[in-house]
Amino acid sequence: MLMNRVSEATRETDVHLFKRVPTWFLNLRLKDVKTHHVERVLAEDAREHNRKEGGIIRYRTTLSAFFTYLMDNRQIITRNPARRAAIPGAQLSPARIPWLGTEIHERFLIWQQKDQEMAETALVIYFLALRWGEARALEVGDLMLDGQPRVLVQRSLSEGRTVPKRTKTNKTRWVPTANAILPILQRMVEGRGKRERLFPALTRSRLKWRLCWDETGQGKNLHSLRHGGITAWAAAGVNVPLMQRWAGHARVETTMKYVHLVGDQASAAGIAMLDAQNQRLGIAAK
């Protein structure tokens, strides 16, 4: 048992933490527990007991250890739903805040000096808000660059695998193509077959090495590219249901985190879009 591997003080703390688990959570089947369930447990506990961030992290660590045991030692579940659970109310460090506005273009200019191909790859991932596996699985035929340019995201290819699988939410989605990357995509697909990978031989280590990521990435990880793209939509005033669909989020709560991140900037952009629409329709305030 796990109890034999930890100190008495740690055991007592963990037992106390498990007593705080709400009944609704205990009634879930283990294989049905998702990350958002764990996040709800943490949020409810933090709100009810006014927990500090350190206490919430300790609670998540205990839950994560429990699910890891079930996954590794008992093979009851195949993934740990607590591992990536967000800490409610936690402040983002500067290194975790995504690039916005001119910041991503400034990064692009710096990356161009290192490697043009990888700089363009990073910019495309940003503006399409792709998960890493989704970027690796993109094929030339997934791009529709005439009329209303858009990209079909329908598969994911993890590193080390040769056969793609469905996306994280098992759904396909269309993502609009920003003008900033349209010329790049047009060059990428020119003269290539529809079944060819858009980014052949793309790996994390290759992109980081060629862009000197430790030097140029400002402490962010590669997933910050996706975060930045979604946050840019929020800052531009894109409505939440549309953002959720473009991002491929299973839950609207996930999308709302990006709206909260940009705060008044999203509200101002939304009002500007509404004013512009009213002006086109000839609607003016009296």
Side-chain angles (χ1 to χ4, degrees):
M1 292 293 292
L2 282 177
M3 295 299 183
N4 296 328
R5 303 181 189 177
V6 298
S7 69
E8 182 65 21
T10 300
R11 186 190 71 81
E12 291 180 0
T13 300
D14 288 348
V15 168
H16 173 69
L17 289 173
F18 275 113
K19 288 181 179 179
R20 286 158 39 187
V21 176
T23 303
W24 67 262
F25 187 77
L26 295 174
N27 288 336
L28 294 173
R29 294 187 302 175
L30 286 171
K31 66 178 183 179
D32 292 335
V33 177
K34 307 296 183 185
T35 297
H36 68 89
H37 293 131
V38 178
E39 290 176 344
R40 178 183 166 187
V41 169
L42 298 177
E44 289 179 354
D45 187 75
R47 185 168 55 251
E48 182 178 350
H49 301 286
N50 194 27
R51 305 287 182 195
K52 300 295 184 182
E53 183 176 339
I56 303 172
I57 292 175
R58 180 72 180 88
Y59 196 2
R60 183 184 63 179
T61 300
T62 297
L63 292 174
S64 182
F66 171 69
F67 286 113
T68 296
Y69 172 75
L70 295 178
M71 182 174 63
D72 295 343
N73 296 79
R74 301 291 297 276
Q75 288 79 49
I76 295 175
I77 56 177
T78 58
R79 60 184 296 273
N80 182 345
R83 181 168 295 161
R84 294 191 175 184
I87 300 299
Q91 296 296 314
L92 288 177
S93 65
R96 293 181 60 195
I97 297 176
W99 293 297
L100 287 175
T102 59
E103 294 174 342
I104 187 60
H105 296 287
E106 291 169 356
R107 285 299 100 193
F108 178 64
L109 292 176
I110 293 172
W111 291 334
Q112 275 185 308
Q113 298 173 21
K114 306 296 183 181
D115 188 286
Q116 180 72 26
E117 178 190 357
M118 287 295 108
E120 292 181 346
T121 297
L123 198 67
V124 168
I125 293 174
Y126 177 97
F127 277 105
L128 294 178
L130 297 171
R131 298 181 179 94
W132 187 255
E134 293 170 347
R136 296 187 74 245
L138 271 186
E139 297 179 356
V140 171
D142 294 327
L143 278 63
M144 307 289 288
L145 302 182
D146 297 326
Q148 292 183 326
R150 59 198 188 279
V151 173
L152 180 63
V153 182
Q154 57 182 329
R155 65 185 78 82
S156 178
L157 181 62
S158 302
E159 292 193 23
R161 294 181 178 272
T162 57
V163 179
K165 60 181 181 180
R166 298 293 299 275
T167 62
K168 184 177 180 180
T169 56
N170 293 318
K171 294 181 179 179
T172 62
R173 67 184 190 274
W174 286 101
V175 183
T177 301
N179 291 334
I181 60 171
L182 184 56
I184 294 174
L185 292 176
Q186 289 170 334
R187 289 197 304 271
M188 285 182 173
V189 303
E190 187 175 359
R192 299 176 63 189
K194 290 187 176 182
R195 295 306 306 273
E196 290 186 53
R197 296 265 185 256
L198 186 65
F199 306 118
L202 176 63
T203 64
R204 287 184 175 87
S205 59
R206 185 166 180 251
L207 185 142
K208 283 186 171 183
W209 175 62
R210 290 173 62 176
L211 294 184
C212 303
W213 193 268
D214 289 343
E215 170 193 337
T216 65
Q218 296 183 313
K220 304 183 195 303
N221 58 35
L222 294 180
H223 201 59
S224 293
L225 295 171
R226 169 172 163 81
H227 288 323
I230 301 172
T231 307
W233 295 336
V238 177
N239 68 67
V240 172
L242 194 54
M243 282 176 54
Q244 181 184 5
R245 187 160 74 245
W246 289 353
H249 287 152
R251 299 183 302 121
V252 71
E253 290 84 358
T254 304
T255 311
M256 286 302 300
K257 293 177 183 178
Y258 297 90
V259 178
H260 295 322
L261 181 61
V262 296
D264 292 340
Q265 189 175 353
S267 299
I271 292 171
M273 291 176 65
L274 182 60
D275 287 343
Q277 182 183 44
N278 289 342
Q279 189 173 20
R280 288 196 301 271
L281 296 174
I283 302 173
K286 301 296 185 182

